Amino acid sequence: MAKWVYTFGDGQAEGASAMRDLLGGKGANLAEMASLGLPVPPGFTITTEVCTYYYAHGRSYPEDLVAQVQAALEHVARLTGRRFGDPRNPLLVSVRSGARASMPGMMDTVLNLGLNDETVNALAKAADPRFAYDSYRRFIQMYGNVVLGVDHHEFEAILEIEREKRGVGQDTDLTAEDWKLVVERYKALVEELLERPFPQDPEDQLWGAIGAVFGSWMNNRAIAYRQLHDIPADWGTAVNVQAMVFGNMGETSATGVAFTRNPATGAKELYGEFLVNAQGEDVVAGIRTPQDLTERARIEAGSEAPSLEAAMPEAFAEFRTIAERLEAHYRDMQDLEFTIERGKLWMLQTRSGKRTAKASLKIAVDMAAEGLITEREAVMRIDAAALDQLLHPTLDPQAARNVVARGLPASPGAATGEIVFTPEEAAARNKDGRAVILVRAETSPEDIHGMIAARGILTSRGGMTSHAAVVARGMGKPCVSGAGSVKIDHRAGTMSIGGRVWREGEVITIDGGTGEVMEGRVAMLQPEMTGEFATLMGWADGVRRLGIRANADTPNDARAAREFGAEGIGLCRTEHMFFESDRIIAVREMILANSTEGRRAALDKILPMQRQDFVELFTIMRGLPVTIRLLDPPLHEFLPKTDEEIGEVAIVMGVDPALLRERAMALTETNPMLGYRGCRLLLTFPEITEMQTRAILEAAAEAARRTGEPVIPEIMVPLIGMRSELDRMKATIDKTAAAVAQDLGQAVEYTVGTMIELPRAALRAQEIAEAADFFSFGTNDLTQTTYGISRDDAASFLGVYQEMGLIEKDPFITLDTEGVGILMRVGANEGRKAKPDLKLGLCGEHGGDPASIKFCEAIGLDYVSCSPYRVPIARLAAAQAALAMNESGAAGPSTA
Ligand code: PEP
Ligand code: MG
């Protein structure tokens, strides 16, 4: 007989933390905590396999499930001394979802289940009537919403009326009689809307809730979250049924959430919030403003409300001990939920805590120093892509700023953008390439798409653990929460702060590190690569095999590349050097000249400028390898277009503008991306190759003189498809180099390699390698030519394909290992057949993408080259790829 249900409680459990796939994260950890002897309310977990069964069998359950749930309920009854549905001593339960991967706010929860018109009386006798009826109305509201689908606002409206009638602001001011009335109104509402009474039988309630949890696995927000986080739909969720403990049984009861370390900064301090006389959902929903857990945090925040440490010292001390124990047990920072019922502590959840990139670095480095984890584990624990958060600017402390509001520093980083009030508007403006800040009273899972589209999030309500705060931290977006002075008027599409009214589209800046909201744009600063960042990067560098270079064309790029730890330049695109305003006329003159002499004359003007560019670049790089690519852009980009531009060139060349226009027209192409560019252009105008080769080699000699470091430039030829092209190019380069050596009176050293960015080049790599010192995979063009679509046009078609579900990832961002990747593997292997030591690199955008870097490690490339800002991401991703390869035993380049 299959086992569908696992019980836990009273120091024992049938499950364990290793059974996460079967029990979900929450269920597995509840079992583990119970086995550790921690105070966990007894309960049971219905496995994820039941969820899978449920969807595979037309939303029905396995036959023996009912019996197993019955038995588990008996077990809980034995441990608690209460029976489900017993009018004198009723067992009440919570029903919660719990998938393998945590999906905060995505799934539904029902509390206080088992209450009905009878059992509520028992609760009133055991505790007090006010508490009993408050619990009952919470149950009807939650169950009505989650299971029966009654809109949340319908209940809120009734509550609002009752509050107003009695002239009270807080729910805690309502009496037992008030709640009794609310319960009656709630039940009437449900009956009116659903044309049947609110279910009174606890068994019916339970199966309704279980069905709702399984049903919510396929709701839109869960599906959207899974897509965003690559969680497969067939994992399913488990259902956790657990005896209720009450944080709302008066002033000696409380509920809270905590992190064993600060999730924003990583500091080693217990960190969290709680509410007295409240139930769990109250904290997360951000309805009341929570109090600090520790005295230290309370003092730091300048808060008057007592900390848990001061208010309930015994429960706090026990909680602190448990928190430390759980962190040591799991060897990671934990995110905890707890409830105190009349002074007695209960643990409701532990899981790995979400944290900012900054915190994740500090925690990993600290834990390695504490001996809790190894340095390698520290390297593996950081999400390389999330480092991006640290590599972006923060507000310049010197910059003038007009702070208009303050909230909680919920997720660090600064962002500037246009105000929008709805997730739809956020998505629409983002699509137009505009930066937006999403402003909401509080966010809910329905807002996810708007949060993804926004640069930052500002809410007027909610604490550090509100939905907005938790989700923003996970996404690495700046967030300021609970800025109470921000008043949103949805109907008018405005917000007001103090007396000032802000319309949609006006620009604000938020600082999620300080909680400040500022008018307009504020100057930002570049990040610094010190402290834990430098330490972890050092560890990463110690284990990685792939070299990391940067794509850099300007002195500024080159300096940034070095600061970020690049080991050379993998691609210097020389195009921009031709487009600068003082050069473009000479370039046009060269292209439009109708004789070799004419072209040479124009190129002679460009040579000294180009040489100077290279001298600077080589000097900054001080002997590190520099790959300079010969001119590549499509021809048409050089052509003069306006009458004014044609006029300028005509004067310099001393020719008739009409003639010039004709020649320019003749050079126009229908598809420039697949046209007269790269080596095709260079082979027709070999003078360009000669000029660039001379500039490179003379500059190398000059920079070597200046720095005392030898410079051996790597000259790279773009868009090679055939060996004959490379042979011809190389002949021109070698001939020029010989001439330069003669002129300088000294030997010149250089290598000549090629981009592999056309499928033909990859397929014929063996013979091409015979003529090349190195290959660099140009995966931008290789993706374009493999897919047969230009990158610019691809943007719209990929969007459509993604919506249609035909394609998951944008192949221009994450390497398509099954298409472009195959060509790369063939190219690498064929190339190495000709030259076993052939140097292999990659210089497309994929060089900064962790998944693509993993593939480069697998096929044994020597280095990847990416934008300077992504160099640290690439260093870490390369280290992780190397460690993963070692683990899987697949060390060394693939020969498949
Ligand atoms: C490439 O094609 O991948 C490449 C690096 O060249 P570019 O992006 O300049 O075409
Ligand atoms: Mg290219």
Side-chain angles (χ1 to χ4, degrees):
M1 196 172 84
K3 186 166 174 58
W4 305 112
V5 176
Y6 288 71
T7 59
F8 55 81
D10 204 26
Q12 283 176 350
E14 293 178 314
S17 65
M19 294 160 75
R20 186 183 192 93
D21 293 357
L22 185 65
L23 302 179
K26 190 186 279 273
N29 288 331
L30 282 170
E32 187 82 4
M33 284 200 291
S35 298
L36 288 171
L38 302 183
V40 174
F44 56 91
T45 303
I46 304 174
T47 68
T48 56
E49 284 175 356
V50 176
C51 187
T52 311
Y53 183 104
Y54 180 78
Y55 283 107
H57 295 82
R59 300 195 179 223
S60 67
Y61 301 115
E63 227 175 88
D64 41 355
L65 182 66
V66 173
Q68 293 191 22
V69 167
Q70 288 290 356
L73 278 170
E74 285 298 323
H75 177 79
V76 177
R78 270 195 303 280
L79 294 183
T80 57
R82 298 197 170 105
R83 299 193 71 79
F84 206 44
D86 182 341
R88 275 171 304 278
N89 196 16
L91 168 67
L92 303 183
V93 296
S94 66
V95 179
R96 292 183 163 95
S97 64
R100 254 196 244 188
S102 92
M103 293 171 61
M106 290 291 134
M107 307 285 290
D108 301 311
T109 296
V110 177
L111 299 179
N112 306 320
L113 189 140
L115 277 175
N116 58 24
D117 293 351
E118 259 184 328
T119 55
V120 71
N121 294 320
L123 198 61
K125 273 195 205 118
D128 73 85
R130 186 190 175 282
F131 160 76
Y133 284 99
D134 180 19
S135 300
Y136 193 15
R137 73 89 198 174
R138 283 170 190 262
F139 170 54
I140 298 173
Q141 185 164 350
M142 241 187 211
Y143 194 92
N145 178 236
V146 169
V147 180
L148 306 176
V150 177
D151 194 56
H152 187 66
H153 300 290
E154 303 267 7
F155 293 110
E156 281 301 317
I158 291 176
L159 195 52
E160 191 63 49
I161 292 169
E162 295 305 320
R163 270 200 220 107
E164 264 172 33
K165 264 200 227 155
R166 281 153 189 77
V168 300
Q170 295 254 329
D171 289 355
T172 43
D173 297 333
L174 292 174
T175 64
E177 285 308 310
D178 295 338
W179 286 125
K180 214 171 185 171
L181 200 73
V182 171
V183 164
E184 288 311 316
R185 296 232 191 317
Y186 275 10
K187 283 197 299 184
L189 170 75
V190 171
E191 184 150 4
E192 182 193 317
L193 291 176
L194 302 182
E195 296 176 347
R196 60 191 150 92
F198 185 83
Q200 289 288 318
D201 179 353
E203 293 269 338
D204 290 348
Q205 295 174 354
L206 179 62
W207 286 102
I210 292 170
V213 172
F214 286 139
S216 73
W217 178 252
M218 284 295 174
N219 74 24
N220 290 340
R221 25 187 249 233
I223 291 170
Y225 188 91
R226 282 202 292 275
Q227 276 171 352
L228 184 66
H229 294 272
D230 286 330
I231 298 171
D234 61 9
W235 279 8
T237 180
V239 181
N240 298 291
V241 179
Q242 215 177 353
M244 278 299 297
V245 287
F246 297 95
N248 53 341
M249 270 199 187
E251 296 302 306
T252 56
S253 299
T255 187
V257 293
F259 294 90
T260 55
R261 304 195 185 208
N262 186 316
T265 65
K268 192 177 181 198
E269 61 195 18
L270 187 61
Y271 181 89
E273 300 165 330
F274 77 105
L275 283 173
V276 175
N277 197 9
Q279 260 185 349
E281 308 326 281
D282 301 344
V283 183
V284 185
I287 297 164
R288 277 159 61 191
T289 300
Q291 293 156 237
D292 295 301
L293 228 46
T294 60
E295 266 306 89
R296 167 218 209 134
R298 184 192 67 78
I299 293 162
E300 255 170 45
S303 160
E304 299 283 304
S307 66
L308 187 72
E309 190 171 8
M312 303 183 193
E314 275 171 34
F316 175 79
E318 187 186 359
F319 178 68
R320 168 172 279 178
T321 307
I322 289 175
E324 280 165 12
R325 186 158 167 214
L326 284 171
E327 184 181 279
H329 181 74
Y330 285 98
R331 301 164 68 241
D332 196 8
M333 186 263 263
Q334 297 295 295
D335 169 353
L336 308 168
E337 283 179 22
F338 66 93
T339 281
I340 297 168
E341 181 184 295
R342 292 180 162 163
K344 159 99 181 102
L345 174 72
W346 293 98
M347 297 301 298
L348 301 185
Q349 171 161 302
T350 188
R351 63 179 174 199
S352 233
K354 290 209 185 304
R355 60 206 83 176
T356 61
K358 186 176 163 198
S360 115
L361 271 178
K362 175 153 176 57
I363 290 170
V365 170
D366 284 356
M367 284 190 169
E370 291 160 23
L372 208 53
I373 59 174
T374 65
E375 289 178 7
R376 284 176 178 225
E377 282 176 301
V379 166
M380 288 307 277
R381 278 196 185 179
I382 310 294
D383 173 8
L387 280 188
D388 207 20
Q389 291 176 39
L390 303 177
L391 304 172
H392 284 296
T394 47
L395 290 187
D396 178 352
Q398 311 297 335
R401 64 184 77 180
N402 179 12
V403 177
V404 293
R406 263 172 232 278
L408 299 171
S411 178
T416 296
E418 300 170 17
I419 301 169
V420 293
F421 299 105
T422 64
E424 290 70 35
E425 188 63 26
R429 289 192 190 219
N430 177 53
K431 215 166 189 182
D432 292 342
R434 284 145 75 183
V436 301
I437 306 286
L438 180 62
V439 183
R440 304 284 275 170
E442 54 200 305
T443 63
S444 72
E446 280 88 2
D447 296 346
I448 292 280
H449 64 293
M451 298 174 80
I452 294 169
R455 295 287 172 90
I457 294 137
L458 168 62
T459 70
S460 56
R461 282 206 295 249
M464 295 289 285
T465 47
S466 64
H467 179 267
V470 171
V471 173
R473 281 201 292 275
M475 288 178 178
K477 298 212 173 187
C479 173
V480 173
S481 69
S485 64
V486 175
K487 303 271 183 265
I488 300 164
D489 182 342
H490 270 289
R491 230 166 306 152
T494 59
M495 69 176 186
S496 64
I497 305 174
R500 155 102 148 88
V501 174
W502 301 71
R503 285 175 198 296
E504 189 169 75
E506 285 191 65
V507 172
I508 57 168
T509 297
I510 61 169
D511 185 344
T514 63
E516 289 173 331
V517 181
M518 289 143 284
E519 184 173 41
R521 252 166 238 293
V522 179
M524 309 240 181
L525 275 190
Q526 296 310 314
E528 278 206 49
M529 314 285 102
T530 52
E532 283 91 20
F533 186 92
T535 305
L536 194 103
M537 281 297 151
W539 295 344
D541 289 345
V543 294
R544 80 179 146 83
R545 184 194 62 81
L546 275 172
I548 308 295
R549 298 195 190 182
N551 294 356
D553 318 337
T554 64
N556 271 345
D557 283 351
R559 274 187 286 266
R562 292 216 58 169
E563 262 163 46
F564 286 118
E567 296 161 310
I569 290 177
L571 173 64
C572 167
R573 294 178 167 102
T574 54
E575 290 82 271
H576 98 273
M577 299 173 165
F578 279 62
F579 285 117
E580 278 174 24
S581 55
D582 52 345
R583 306 180 187 181
I584 185 70
I585 297 180
V587 173
R588 290 187 173 136
E589 202 184 322
M590 180 257 309
I591 297 281
L592 295 170
N594 48 15
S595 69
T596 309
E597 291 70 44
R599 274 196 297 279
R600 285 237 158 84
L603 284 164
D604 281 347
K605 297 183 197 166
I606 302 171
L607 173 66
M609 302 188 250
Q610 179 106 98
R611 184 171 52 218
Q612 192 48 39
D613 290 334
F614 294 137
V615 169
E616 273 187 71
L617 220 52
F618 290 139
T619 305
I620 292 166
M621 295 312 286
R622 302 196 84 86
L624 290 177
V626 177
T627 306
I628 297 195
R629 183 177 72 187
L630 301 178
L631 196 64
D632 186 27
L635 185 59
H636 79 284
E637 292 190 17
F638 290 118
L639 299 176
K641 285 164 202 92
T642 63
D643 286 343
E644 196 189 337
E645 286 170 351
I646 291 178
E648 273 175 354
V649 184
I651 293 171
V652 178
M653 294 176 73
V655 296
D656 179 0
L659 263 176
L660 211 56
R661 176 177 293 281
E662 225 167 80
R663 175 139 170 82
M665 293 280 278
L667 292 171
T668 304
E669 296 172 291
T670 45
N671 193 342
M673 264 302 171
L674 296 176
Y676 205 30
R677 52 174 284 217
C679 67
R680 301 165 190 170
L681 182 71
L682 297 164
L683 286 165
T684 353
F685 301 133
E687 306 81 23
I688 301 177
T689 307
E690 290 168 16
M691 183 280 285
Q692 288 199 297
T693 303
R694 180 170 281 277
I696 292 166
L697 296 177
E698 289 178 355
E702 170 67 23
R705 246 197 320 279
R706 281 195 196 173
T707 62
E709 304 271 357
V711 180
I712 307 173
E714 301 170 349
I715 299 174
M716 182 154 76
V717 185
L719 221 74
I720 287 289
M722 305 180 286
R723 175 177 175 170
S724 57
E725 291 170 321
L726 186 57
D727 282 337
R728 185 71 62 90
M729 287 296 303
K730 195 163 150 49
T732 306
I733 294 166
D734 288 344
K735 194 180 81 202
T736 310
V740 172
Q742 181 123 52
D743 295 348
L744 292 177
Q746 66 180 68
V748 291
E749 268 193 272
Y750 60 96
T751 58
V752 178
T754 176
M755 305 273 297
I756 301 290
E757 49 189 341
L758 294 176
R760 190 181 195 286
L763 297 172
R764 305 297 295 177
Q766 185 176 352
E767 60 188 20
I768 291 174
E770 283 161 9
D773 297 318
F774 62 88
F775 281 178
S776 181
F777 288 96
T779 46
N780 300 336
D781 272 305
L782 197 53
T783 303
Q784 293 192 120
T785 50
T786 301
Y787 276 81
I789 189 160
S790 78
R791 184 174 185 144
D792 295 338
D793 296 334
S796 52
F797 120 88
L798 286 173
V800 174
Y801 265 29
Q802 273 168 335
E803 266 167 39
M804 291 169 69
L806 295 179
I807 198 167
E808 269 178 37
K809 298 222 162 98
D810 179 346
F812 287 97
I813 293 171
T814 300
L815 196 70
D816 159 30
T817 55
E818 290 161 9
V820 178
I822 291 178
L823 287 167
M824 284 176 67
R825 198 187 281 272
V826 168
N829 291 339
E830 288 296 304
R832 281 187 291 238
K833 274 187 199 160
K835 288 188 179 154
D837 297 331
L838 183 70
K839 188 154 64 166
L840 299 169
L842 174 150
C843 64
E845 293 308 308
H846 304 91
D849 171 68
S852 310
I853 290 170
K854 199 165 177 192
F855 181 78
C856 294
E857 171 71 28
I859 64 169
L861 297 194
D862 295 296
Y863 69 89
V864 295
S865 186
C866 59
S867 127
Y869 279 90
R870 294 194 75 84
V871 163
I873 296 173
R875 285 161 68 194
L876 181 56
Q880 293 174 340
L883 289 173
M885 286 288 282
N886 282 345
E887 234 159 65
S888 69
S894 148
T895 48

